[in-house]
Amino acid sequence: MDYDTYGSNAVELAIDLANADRDADPGWADAFLRAHDEWFTIETPLELSPAEARRAAATADLVRAVAVAATQDEVIARLNELLALARPHPYATDHDGELHLHYARPDAPALEQLTTTVAMGLSQVVAQHGWQRLGVCSAEGCDDVYVDTSRNASRRYCSNTCASRSTVAAYRARRKT
């Protein structure tokens, strides 16, 4: 699957948000923003209030809801919920040497930039490549969301690590019997 670089990066941001470990650290949202600071304009403060952190968590939950949806109608409903949170104000830029679009206005607060970028990136990939390209890892004990970039849409695991672990576990189980 081949999709545009900025859109693919935006959907990867969405996947990272959905897979963020929110239970381990109450400051997860600020840590997430700092780890993904390339998505925000330089002047943007990367600290969220507790209410904004809860809204970021709700955005993460909606990304996951799109990925686990079982029907196109359900995907559309969840995606529209996510898009309703977005405040798109696209603009062209070449700040990194390549012309591309940003989805949120440059002076928007961090939460608005995050939510809009995630919503627009995820919706573009779903609309252009199909909702079946999103999934949840099939490995036992893993529930990470992923986007399937394989040619034949056959991906079932979030990473090679989970795929290898599952293969080894299945081999060992067959050898036991």
Side-chain angles (χ1 to χ4, degrees):
M1 181 172 108
D2 185 26
Y3 47 87
D4 70 273
T5 304
Y6 188 74
S8 67
N9 291 340
V11 80
E12 291 300 329
L13 179 67
I15 299 302
D16 287 350
L17 181 62
N19 294 333
D21 187 4
R22 296 181 273 159
D23 298 329
D25 179 12
W28 74 270
D30 292 345
F32 182 86
L33 295 179
R34 285 190 302 276
H36 295 84
D37 65 348
E38 71 275 11
W39 285 97
F40 305 96
T41 53
I42 294 170
E43 312 81 37
T44 304
L46 299 180
E47 295 84 30
L48 299 181
S49 70
E52 289 172 323
R54 285 189 296 278
R55 292 199 324 254
T59 299
D61 289 342
L62 281 172
V63 171
R64 181 170 293 280
V66 172
V68 301
T71 66
Q72 183 167 312
D73 287 344
E74 190 178 345
V75 168
I76 290 169
R78 299 300 164 257
L79 198 52
N80 282 332
E81 283 182 62
L82 182 59
L83 286 166
L85 300 176
R87 300 288 175 258
H89 192 297
Y91 67 96
T93 182
D94 65 351
H95 66 86
D96 62 358
E98 292 202 25
L99 182 62
H100 62 276
L101 292 176
H102 278 253
Y103 301 120
R105 58 188 169 85
D107 61 337
L111 180 63
E112 184 176 320
Q113 289 184 45
L114 175 68
T115 302
T116 300
T117 301
V118 163
M120 297 303 293
L122 189 64
S123 63
Q124 279 188 329
V125 168
V126 168
Q128 292 174 1
H129 301 289
W131 62 273
Q132 300 90 340
R133 289 291 184 162
L134 298 174
V136 177
C137 187
S138 296
E140 188 172 323
C142 183
D143 66 349
D144 281 357
V145 172
Y146 65 86
V147 61
D148 183 354
T149 57
S150 67
R151 287 186 187 181
N152 60 358
S154 61
R155 186 170 171 180
R156 296 182 347 176
Y157 300 101
C158 67
S159 66
N160 287 337
T161 302
C162 280
S164 295
R165 230 180 309 194
S166 294
T167 301
V168 169
Y171 172 76
R172 289 180 179 159
R174 284 192 307 273
R175 296 245 357 219
K176 269 189 174 179
T177 57

